[in-house]
Short mmCIF file of all heavy atoms in Angstrom, two decimals:
data_model
loop_
_atom_site.label_atom_id
_atom_site.label_comp_id
_atom_site.label_asym_id
_atom_site.label_seq_id
_atom_site.Cartn_x
_atom_site.Cartn_y
_atom_site.Cartn_z
N MET S 1 98.56 32.36 162.75
CA MET S 1 99.49 32.54 161.64
C MET S 1 100.30 33.82 161.81
O MET S 1 100.10 34.81 161.16
CB MET S 1 98.73 32.62 160.30
CG MET S 1 98.19 31.31 159.82
SD MET S 1 99.49 30.10 159.50
CE MET S 1 98.52 28.75 158.90
N SER S 2 101.19 33.82 162.74
CA SER S 2 102.04 34.98 162.94
C SER S 2 103.43 34.66 162.40
O SER S 2 103.93 33.56 162.57
CB SER S 2 102.12 35.35 164.41
OG SER S 2 102.74 34.32 165.13
N SER S 3 104.02 35.62 161.74
CA SER S 3 105.37 35.41 161.24
C SER S 3 106.36 35.92 162.27
O SER S 3 106.15 36.92 162.92
CB SER S 3 105.56 36.13 159.91
OG SER S 3 105.48 37.51 160.10
N SER S 4 107.42 35.17 162.39
CA SER S 4 108.45 35.57 163.33
C SER S 4 109.80 35.19 162.74
O SER S 4 109.87 34.58 161.68
CB SER S 4 108.26 34.91 164.69
OG SER S 4 108.59 33.55 164.60
N HIS S 5 110.84 35.50 163.43
CA HIS S 5 112.17 35.15 162.95
C HIS S 5 112.71 33.90 163.64
O HIS S 5 113.86 33.56 163.49
CB HIS S 5 113.13 36.33 163.15
CG HIS S 5 112.76 37.51 162.33
ND1 HIS S 5 112.03 38.56 162.83
CD2 HIS S 5 112.99 37.81 161.03
CE1 HIS S 5 111.85 39.44 161.87
NE2 HIS S 5 112.42 39.01 160.77
N SER S 6 111.84 33.24 164.37
CA SER S 6 112.28 32.04 165.08
C SER S 6 112.09 30.82 164.18
O SER S 6 111.39 29.89 164.54
CB SER S 6 111.53 31.89 166.39
OG SER S 6 110.14 31.86 166.15
N GLY S 7 112.71 30.88 163.00
CA GLY S 7 112.56 29.78 162.06
C GLY S 7 113.13 28.49 162.60
O GLY S 7 112.62 27.41 162.33
N ARG S 8 114.18 28.60 163.37
CA ARG S 8 114.83 27.42 163.92
C ARG S 8 113.88 26.63 164.81
O ARG S 8 113.78 25.42 164.70
CB ARG S 8 116.06 27.88 164.71
CG ARG S 8 116.74 26.78 165.47
CD ARG S 8 117.76 26.03 164.61
NE ARG S 8 118.37 24.93 165.34
CZ ARG S 8 119.02 23.94 164.74
NH1 ARG S 8 119.13 23.93 163.44
NH2 ARG S 8 119.56 22.97 165.44
N SER S 9 113.18 27.32 165.69
CA SER S 9 112.31 26.59 166.62
C SER S 9 111.08 26.04 165.88
O SER S 9 110.60 24.97 166.20
CB SER S 9 111.87 27.48 167.77
OG SER S 9 111.11 28.55 167.30
N ALA S 10 110.63 26.75 164.87
CA ALA S 10 109.53 26.23 164.06
C ALA S 10 109.96 24.94 163.37
O ALA S 10 109.23 23.97 163.32
CB ALA S 10 109.11 27.26 163.02
N PHE S 11 111.18 24.98 162.87
CA PHE S 11 111.81 23.83 162.25
C PHE S 11 111.81 22.62 163.18
O PHE S 11 111.42 21.52 162.81
CB PHE S 11 113.24 24.26 161.91
CG PHE S 11 114.00 23.32 161.04
CD1 PHE S 11 113.77 23.30 159.68
CD2 PHE S 11 114.97 22.50 161.57
CE1 PHE S 11 114.49 22.44 158.87
CE2 PHE S 11 115.70 21.65 160.77
CZ PHE S 11 115.45 21.62 159.41
N GLU S 12 112.23 22.86 164.40
CA GLU S 12 112.30 21.77 165.37
C GLU S 12 110.92 21.30 165.79
O GLU S 12 110.71 20.13 166.08
CB GLU S 12 113.11 22.21 166.58
CG GLU S 12 114.60 22.27 166.25
CD GLU S 12 115.42 22.97 167.31
OE1 GLU S 12 114.84 23.43 168.31
OE2 GLU S 12 116.64 23.04 167.14
N ARG S 13 109.99 22.23 165.83
CA ARG S 13 108.63 21.86 166.20
C ARG S 13 108.02 20.92 165.16
O ARG S 13 107.32 19.97 165.47
CB ARG S 13 107.78 23.13 166.34
CG ARG S 13 106.86 23.06 167.53
CD ARG S 13 106.29 24.40 167.94
NE ARG S 13 106.07 25.35 166.86
CZ ARG S 13 106.62 26.57 166.84
NH1 ARG S 13 107.40 26.95 167.80
NH2 ARG S 13 106.36 27.41 165.87
N LEU S 14 108.30 21.21 163.89
CA LEU S 14 107.77 20.38 162.82
C LEU S 14 108.36 18.99 162.88
O LEU S 14 107.66 17.99 162.71
CB LEU S 14 108.10 21.01 161.46
CG LEU S 14 107.27 22.23 161.13
CD1 LEU S 14 107.84 22.94 159.91
CD2 LEU S 14 105.83 21.85 160.87
N ARG S 15 109.67 18.92 163.15
CA ARG S 15 110.29 17.61 163.24
C ARG S 15 109.72 16.81 164.41
O ARG S 15 109.47 15.62 164.29
CB ARG S 15 111.81 17.73 163.39
CG ARG S 15 112.46 16.39 163.58
CD ARG S 15 113.96 16.50 163.73
NE ARG S 15 114.63 16.74 162.45
CZ ARG S 15 114.95 15.76 161.60
NH1 ARG S 15 114.64 14.52 161.86
NH2 ARG S 15 115.56 16.02 160.48
N ALA S 16 109.50 17.50 165.51
CA ALA S 16 108.94 16.83 166.68
C ALA S 16 107.55 16.28 166.36
O ALA S 16 107.18 15.19 166.79
CB ALA S 16 108.86 17.80 167.85
N ARG S 17 106.81 17.04 165.55
CA ARG S 17 105.48 16.59 165.17
C ARG S 17 105.55 15.34 164.30
O ARG S 17 104.78 14.39 164.45
CB ARG S 17 104.76 17.71 164.41
CG ARG S 17 103.29 17.46 164.25
CD ARG S 17 102.70 18.36 163.20
NE ARG S 17 102.79 19.77 163.57
CZ ARG S 17 102.45 20.77 162.77
NH1 ARG S 17 102.00 20.51 161.56
NH2 ARG S 17 102.55 22.01 163.16
N LEU S 18 106.53 15.32 163.40
CA LEU S 18 106.70 14.16 162.52
C LEU S 18 107.15 12.94 163.30
O LEU S 18 106.81 11.81 162.97
CB LEU S 18 107.72 14.48 161.43
CG LEU S 18 107.22 15.39 160.32
CD1 LEU S 18 108.39 15.82 159.46
CD2 LEU S 18 106.18 14.70 159.47
N ASP S 19 107.96 13.18 164.34
CA ASP S 19 108.51 12.06 165.11
C ASP S 19 107.55 11.56 166.18
O ASP S 19 107.83 10.59 166.86
CB ASP S 19 109.83 12.48 165.77
CG ASP S 19 110.96 12.56 164.74
OD1 ASP S 19 110.82 11.93 163.67
OD2 ASP S 19 111.95 13.24 165.01
N GLU S 20 106.43 12.24 166.31
CA GLU S 20 105.48 11.91 167.36
C GLU S 20 105.02 10.45 167.29
O GLU S 20 104.87 9.78 168.28
CB GLU S 20 104.25 12.81 167.24
CG GLU S 20 103.93 13.57 168.49
CD GLU S 20 102.91 14.66 168.21
OE1 GLU S 20 101.95 14.37 167.48
OE2 GLU S 20 103.08 15.78 168.71
N ARG S 21 104.77 10.01 166.10
CA ARG S 21 104.30 8.63 165.96
C ARG S 21 105.10 7.94 164.86
O ARG S 21 105.61 8.59 163.97
CB ARG S 21 102.82 8.61 165.63
CG ARG S 21 102.47 9.47 164.43
CD ARG S 21 100.99 9.56 164.24
NE ARG S 21 100.56 10.93 163.98
CZ ARG S 21 99.31 11.31 163.94
NH1 ARG S 21 98.36 10.45 164.16
NH2 ARG S 21 98.98 12.55 163.69
N PRO S 22 105.20 6.63 164.92
CA PRO S 22 105.92 5.89 163.90
C PRO S 22 105.30 6.10 162.53
O PRO S 22 104.07 6.22 162.41
CB PRO S 22 105.80 4.42 164.33
CG PRO S 22 105.12 4.41 165.63
CD PRO S 22 104.60 5.77 165.94
N HIS S 23 106.16 6.17 161.55
CA HIS S 23 105.68 6.40 160.20
C HIS S 23 105.25 5.09 159.55
O HIS S 23 106.01 4.15 159.48
CB HIS S 23 106.79 7.04 159.37
CG HIS S 23 106.41 7.27 157.96
ND1 HIS S 23 105.62 8.33 157.57
CD2 HIS S 23 106.68 6.58 156.84
CE1 HIS S 23 105.43 8.26 156.28
NE2 HIS S 23 106.06 7.22 155.80
N ALA S 24 104.03 5.06 159.09
CA ALA S 24 103.54 3.89 158.36
C ALA S 24 103.50 4.22 156.87
O ALA S 24 102.94 5.24 156.47
CB ALA S 24 102.15 3.50 158.84
N CYS S 25 104.10 3.38 156.08
CA CYS S 25 104.15 3.59 154.63
C CYS S 25 102.74 3.60 154.05
O CYS S 25 101.92 2.73 154.36
CB CYS S 25 104.98 2.49 153.97
SG CYS S 25 105.03 2.62 152.18
N GLU S 26 102.50 4.60 153.20
CA GLU S 26 101.18 4.69 152.59
C GLU S 26 100.98 3.64 151.50
O GLU S 26 99.86 3.36 151.09
CB GLU S 26 100.99 6.10 152.01
CG GLU S 26 100.83 7.14 153.10
CD GLU S 26 101.50 8.47 152.75
OE1 GLU S 26 101.75 8.72 151.56
OE2 GLU S 26 101.77 9.24 153.68
N GLU S 27 102.06 3.08 151.01
CA GLU S 27 101.96 2.10 149.92
C GLU S 27 101.81 0.67 150.45
O GLU S 27 100.93 -0.07 150.04
CB GLU S 27 103.19 2.19 149.02
CG GLU S 27 103.26 3.45 148.19
CD GLU S 27 102.09 3.55 147.22
OE1 GLU S 27 101.72 2.53 146.62
OE2 GLU S 27 101.53 4.65 147.08
N CYS S 28 102.73 0.30 151.36
CA CYS S 28 102.76 -1.11 151.76
C CYS S 28 102.39 -1.30 153.23
O CYS S 28 102.24 -2.42 153.69
CB CYS S 28 104.14 -1.71 151.49
SG CYS S 28 105.43 -1.09 152.59
N GLY S 29 102.27 -0.19 153.98
CA GLY S 29 101.85 -0.29 155.37
C GLY S 29 102.96 -0.61 156.34
O GLY S 29 102.72 -0.76 157.54
N PHE S 30 104.18 -0.69 155.83
CA PHE S 30 105.32 -1.00 156.69
C PHE S 30 105.53 0.14 157.69
O PHE S 30 105.58 1.31 157.32
CB PHE S 30 106.57 -1.19 155.82
CG PHE S 30 107.80 -1.52 156.62
CD1 PHE S 30 108.05 -2.83 157.02
CD2 PHE S 30 108.71 -0.54 156.97
CE1 PHE S 30 109.20 -3.14 157.74
CE2 PHE S 30 109.85 -0.85 157.68
CZ PHE S 30 110.09 -2.15 158.08
N VAL S 31 105.65 -0.22 158.97
CA VAL S 31 105.87 0.78 160.01
C VAL S 31 107.37 0.86 160.31
O VAL S 31 107.96 -0.09 160.81
CB VAL S 31 105.08 0.46 161.29
CG1 VAL S 31 105.40 1.49 162.37
CG2 VAL S 31 103.60 0.43 160.99
N ASP S 32 107.94 1.99 159.97
CA ASP S 32 109.38 2.19 160.12
C ASP S 32 109.63 3.09 161.32
O ASP S 32 109.58 4.31 161.22
CB ASP S 32 109.92 2.83 158.84
CG ASP S 32 111.40 3.17 158.95
OD1 ASP S 32 112.07 2.59 159.81
OD2 ASP S 32 111.86 4.03 158.18
N ASP S 33 109.86 2.47 162.46
CA ASP S 33 110.08 3.31 163.64
C ASP S 33 111.56 3.54 163.93
O ASP S 33 111.92 4.12 164.93
CB ASP S 33 109.35 2.77 164.88
CG ASP S 33 109.64 1.29 165.09
OD1 ASP S 33 110.45 0.73 164.35
OD2 ASP S 33 109.03 0.69 166.00
N ALA S 34 112.41 3.08 163.05
CA ALA S 34 113.85 3.32 163.23
C ALA S 34 114.35 4.42 162.31
O ALA S 34 115.38 5.03 162.57
CB ALA S 34 114.63 2.05 162.97
N GLY S 35 113.63 4.68 161.25
CA GLY S 35 114.08 5.65 160.26
C GLY S 35 113.91 7.08 160.72
O GLY S 35 113.26 7.36 161.72
N GLU S 36 114.52 7.99 159.95
CA GLU S 36 114.44 9.40 160.28
C GLU S 36 114.02 10.19 159.06
O GLU S 36 114.36 9.84 157.94
CB GLU S 36 115.80 9.92 160.75
CG GLU S 36 116.15 9.53 162.15
CD GLU S 36 117.30 10.40 162.67
OE1 GLU S 36 117.97 11.05 161.85
OE2 GLU S 36 117.50 10.42 163.89
N TRP S 37 113.31 11.27 159.31
CA TRP S 37 112.99 12.20 158.24
C TRP S 37 114.23 13.01 157.89
O TRP S 37 114.91 13.50 158.78
CB TRP S 37 111.86 13.13 158.67
CG TRP S 37 110.55 12.44 158.83
CD1 TRP S 37 110.07 11.89 159.98
CD2 TRP S 37 109.54 12.23 157.84
NE1 TRP S 37 108.83 11.36 159.75
CE2 TRP S 37 108.49 11.56 158.46
CE3 TRP S 37 109.45 12.56 156.48
CZ2 TRP S 37 107.33 11.19 157.74
CZ3 TRP S 37 108.30 12.21 155.80
CH2 TRP S 37 107.26 11.52 156.43
N GLU S 38 114.46 13.13 156.62
CA GLU S 38 115.57 13.97 156.17
C GLU S 38 115.02 15.34 155.79
O GLU S 38 114.13 15.45 154.95
CB GLU S 38 116.24 13.32 154.95
CG GLU S 38 117.42 14.09 154.42
CD GLU S 38 117.90 13.56 153.08
OE1 GLU S 38 117.49 12.44 152.72
OE2 GLU S 38 118.66 14.26 152.42
N ALA S 39 115.54 16.37 156.44
CA ALA S 39 115.02 17.71 156.25
C ALA S 39 115.79 18.44 155.16
O ALA S 39 117.01 18.40 155.11
CB ALA S 39 115.09 18.50 157.54
N VAL S 40 115.05 19.09 154.26
CA VAL S 40 115.64 19.92 153.22
C VAL S 40 114.93 21.26 153.24
O VAL S 40 113.73 21.33 153.00
CB VAL S 40 115.49 19.27 151.83
CG1 VAL S 40 116.14 20.15 150.77
CG2 VAL S 40 116.10 17.88 151.81
N THR S 41 115.67 22.31 153.53
CA THR S 41 115.06 23.63 153.53
C THR S 41 115.28 24.31 152.19
O THR S 41 116.36 24.23 151.62
CB THR S 41 115.64 24.52 154.64
OG1 THR S 41 117.05 24.43 154.60
CG2 THR S 41 115.13 24.10 156.00
N THR S 42 114.24 24.94 151.72
CA THR S 42 114.33 25.65 150.45
C THR S 42 113.79 27.06 150.64
O THR S 42 112.80 27.43 150.05
CB THR S 42 113.54 24.92 149.36
OG1 THR S 42 112.19 24.76 149.83
CG2 THR S 42 114.13 23.57 149.05
N GLY S 43 114.44 27.82 151.50
CA GLY S 43 114.00 29.19 151.75
C GLY S 43 112.79 29.25 152.63
O GLY S 43 112.89 29.12 153.84
N ALA S 44 111.62 29.43 152.02
CA ALA S 44 110.41 29.64 152.80
C ALA S 44 109.73 28.35 153.22
O ALA S 44 108.81 28.36 154.00
CB ALA S 44 109.43 30.50 152.01
N THR S 45 110.20 27.24 152.67
CA THR S 45 109.57 25.97 152.99
C THR S 45 110.61 24.97 153.48
O THR S 45 111.80 25.12 153.24
CB THR S 45 108.86 25.35 151.77
OG1 THR S 45 109.83 25.09 150.77
CG2 THR S 45 107.78 26.27 151.24
N VAL S 46 110.12 23.98 154.17
CA VAL S 46 110.98 22.88 154.56
C VAL S 46 110.32 21.59 154.11
O VAL S 46 109.11 21.41 154.24
CB VAL S 46 111.26 22.87 156.08
CG1 VAL S 46 109.98 22.86 156.88
CG2 VAL S 46 112.14 21.69 156.47
N GLU S 47 111.12 20.73 153.54
CA GLU S 47 110.63 19.43 153.11
C GLU S 47 111.24 18.34 153.98
O GLU S 47 112.43 18.37 154.28
CB GLU S 47 111.03 19.15 151.66
CG GLU S 47 110.24 19.93 150.65
CD GLU S 47 110.68 19.58 149.24
OE1 GLU S 47 111.59 18.75 149.07
OE2 GLU S 47 110.10 20.14 148.31
N TYR S 48 110.42 17.41 154.36
CA TYR S 48 110.91 16.24 155.07
C TYR S 48 110.69 15.03 154.17
O TYR S 48 109.59 14.81 153.68
CB TYR S 48 110.15 16.05 156.39
CG TYR S 48 110.51 17.09 157.42
CD1 TYR S 48 109.74 18.23 157.55
CD2 TYR S 48 111.60 16.92 158.24
CE1 TYR S 48 110.07 19.19 158.49
CE2 TYR S 48 111.94 17.86 159.18
CZ TYR S 48 111.18 19.00 159.31
OH TYR S 48 111.50 19.95 160.23
N ARG S 49 111.75 14.28 153.98
CA ARG S 49 111.67 13.11 153.11
C ARG S 49 112.12 11.87 153.85
O ARG S 49 113.01 11.93 154.69
CB ARG S 49 112.60 13.27 151.91
CG ARG S 49 112.21 14.39 150.99
CD ARG S 49 113.19 14.41 149.85
NE ARG S 49 113.11 15.69 149.15
CZ ARG S 49 113.99 16.10 148.25
NH1 ARG S 49 115.02 15.35 147.97
NH2 ARG S 49 113.85 17.25 147.67
N ARG S 50 111.53 10.80 153.51
CA ARG S 50 112.04 9.51 153.96
C ARG S 50 111.60 8.45 152.98
O ARG S 50 110.59 8.59 152.29
CB ARG S 50 111.59 9.20 155.39
CG ARG S 50 110.15 8.80 155.54
CD ARG S 50 109.77 8.76 157.00
NE ARG S 50 110.47 7.70 157.73
CZ ARG S 50 110.53 7.62 159.05
NH1 ARG S 50 109.95 8.54 159.79
NH2 ARG S 50 111.15 6.64 159.63
N GLU S 51 112.40 7.41 152.94
CA GLU S 51 112.15 6.34 151.98
C GLU S 51 111.74 5.10 152.75
O GLU S 51 112.35 4.74 153.75
CB GLU S 51 113.43 6.09 151.19
CG GLU S 51 113.22 5.22 149.97
CD GLU S 51 114.51 5.09 149.18
OE1 GLU S 51 114.83 5.99 148.39
OE2 GLU S 51 115.22 4.09 149.37
N CYS S 52 110.72 4.45 152.29
CA CYS S 52 110.28 3.21 152.92
C CYS S 52 111.33 2.13 152.68
O CYS S 52 111.67 1.83 151.54
CB CYS S 52 108.94 2.79 152.34
SG CYS S 52 108.39 1.19 152.97
N PRO S 53 111.86 1.52 153.75
CA PRO S 53 112.87 0.47 153.58
C PRO S 53 112.29 -0.81 153.00
O PRO S 53 113.02 -1.69 152.58
CB PRO S 53 113.41 0.25 154.99
CG PRO S 53 112.34 0.72 155.90
CD PRO S 53 111.56 1.78 155.16
N SER S 54 110.99 -0.92 153.01
CA SER S 54 110.35 -2.15 152.53
C SER S 54 110.08 -2.09 151.03
O SER S 54 110.45 -2.99 150.29
CB SER S 54 109.06 -2.38 153.30
OG SER S 54 108.41 -3.52 152.80
N CYS S 55 109.45 -1.01 150.57
CA CYS S 55 109.07 -0.95 149.15
C CYS S 55 109.77 0.17 148.40
O CYS S 55 109.65 0.26 147.19
CB CYS S 55 107.56 -0.82 149.01
SG CYS S 55 106.91 0.79 149.49
N GLY S 56 110.50 1.03 149.12
CA GLY S 56 111.29 2.06 148.45
C GLY S 56 110.51 3.30 148.06
O GLY S 56 111.06 4.20 147.43
N THR S 57 109.26 3.38 148.45
CA THR S 57 108.47 4.57 148.16
C THR S 57 109.02 5.77 148.93
O THR S 57 109.31 5.67 150.11
CB THR S 57 106.99 4.36 148.54
OG1 THR S 57 106.46 3.30 147.76
CG2 THR S 57 106.17 5.62 148.30
N GLU S 58 109.15 6.89 148.23
CA GLU S 58 109.61 8.10 148.90
C GLU S 58 108.43 8.91 149.38
O GLU S 58 107.47 9.15 148.64
CB GLU S 58 110.46 8.95 147.95
CG GLU S 58 111.14 10.08 148.67
CD GLU S 58 112.09 10.85 147.76
OE1 GLU S 58 111.59 11.57 146.88
OE2 GLU S 58 113.30 10.73 147.94
N HIS S 59 108.50 9.28 150.65
CA HIS S 59 107.43 10.07 151.26
C HIS S 59 107.90 11.48 151.47
O HIS S 59 109.05 11.71 151.79
CB HIS S 59 107.00 9.45 152.58
CG HIS S 59 106.50 8.05 152.44
ND1 HIS S 59 105.22 7.75 152.03
CD2 HIS S 59 107.14 6.87 152.56
CE1 HIS S 59 105.09 6.44 151.95
NE2 HIS S 59 106.24 5.88 152.27
N LEU S 60 107.00 12.40 151.30
CA LEU S 60 107.36 13.81 151.34
C LEU S 60 106.34 14.56 152.16
O LEU S 60 105.13 14.39 151.99
CB LEU S 60 107.39 14.33 149.90
CG LEU S 60 108.06 15.67 149.64
CD1 LEU S 60 109.54 15.60 149.97
CD2 LEU S 60 107.86 16.03 148.19
N ARG S 61 106.85 15.40 153.06
CA ARG S 61 106.00 16.33 153.78
C ARG S 61 106.59 17.71 153.57
O ARG S 61 107.78 17.91 153.70
CB ARG S 61 105.96 16.03 155.27
CG ARG S 61 105.42 14.65 155.62
CD ARG S 61 103.92 14.59 155.50
NE ARG S 61 103.42 13.29 155.93
CZ ARG S 61 103.33 12.23 155.14
NH1 ARG S 61 103.73 12.30 153.89
NH2 ARG S 61 102.87 11.08 155.61
N GLN S 62 105.75 18.66 153.24
CA GLN S 62 106.24 20.00 153.00
C GLN S 62 105.50 21.00 153.87
O GLN S 62 104.28 20.97 153.96
CB GLN S 62 106.06 20.35 151.52
CG GLN S 62 106.80 21.61 151.13
CD GLN S 62 106.66 21.88 149.63
OE1 GLN S 62 105.59 22.17 149.14
NE2 GLN S 62 107.76 21.77 148.90
N TYR S 63 106.26 21.87 154.51
CA TYR S 63 105.68 22.89 155.38
C TYR S 63 106.27 24.25 155.05
O TYR S 63 107.40 24.36 154.61
CB TYR S 63 105.97 22.58 156.85
CG TYR S 63 105.43 21.26 157.33
CD1 TYR S 63 106.26 20.16 157.39
CD2 TYR S 63 104.10 21.15 157.72
CE1 TYR S 63 105.78 18.94 157.85
CE2 TYR S 63 103.62 19.93 158.16
CZ TYR S 63 104.46 18.84 158.22
OH TYR S 63 103.98 17.63 158.66
N ARG S 64 105.49 25.25 155.33
CA ARG S 64 106.03 26.61 155.25
C ARG S 64 106.64 27.00 156.57
O ARG S 64 106.06 26.73 157.62
CB ARG S 64 104.90 27.60 154.94
CG ARG S 64 104.48 27.60 153.52
CD ARG S 64 103.60 28.79 153.28
NE ARG S 64 102.91 28.67 151.99
CZ ARG S 64 102.31 29.70 151.44
NH1 ARG S 64 102.27 30.86 152.04
NH2 ARG S 64 101.72 29.55 150.27
N LEU S 65 107.76 27.63 156.50
CA LEU S 65 108.39 28.13 157.73
C LEU S 65 107.81 29.49 158.08
O LEU S 65 107.44 30.24 157.23
CB LEU S 65 109.89 28.23 157.56
CG LEU S 65 110.63 26.89 157.50
CD1 LEU S 65 112.10 27.14 157.20
CD2 LEU S 65 110.49 26.15 158.82
ZN1 ZN J 1 106.43 0.84 151.74
#
């Protein structure tokens, strides 16, 4: 847990981690391997959101930068 000013690379590392495997919807189990996480930064945290194309459930992952 070291803090650095390389927020950009941390940002990209998190996205790479999310893209590592196809996202399976927690509600309906639909595997969406074409969709993308939408990143929203809010200062110290970054949120990744995506919506299941099958059931419309919004998924959220939040990380600290
Ligand atoms: Zn779903």
Side-chain angles (χ1 to χ4, degrees):
M1 287 298 182
S2 65
S3 66
S4 72
H5 295 97
S6 56
R8 173 87 183 163
S9 63
F11 191 78
E12 286 168 359
R13 221 164 32 237
L14 287 169
R15 176 180 284 277
R17 193 195 297 174
L18 285 170
D19 285 339
E20 235 167 43
R21 53 187 135 189
H23 178 79
C25 177
E26 288 143 20
E27 290 298 319
C28 71
F30 180 83
V31 177
D32 176 21
D33 50 5
E36 283 196 344
W37 292 92
E38 181 190 346
V40 181
T41 48
T42 55
T45 62
V46 55
E47 286 181 359
Y48 289 94
R49 295 181 197 168
R50 74 190 294 165
E51 193 177 278
C52 175
S54 178
C55 72
T57 298
E58 190 175 71
H59 300 279
L60 195 64
R61 299 284 184 274
Q62 191 176 68
Y63 300 98
R64 283 192 193 195
L65 288 175

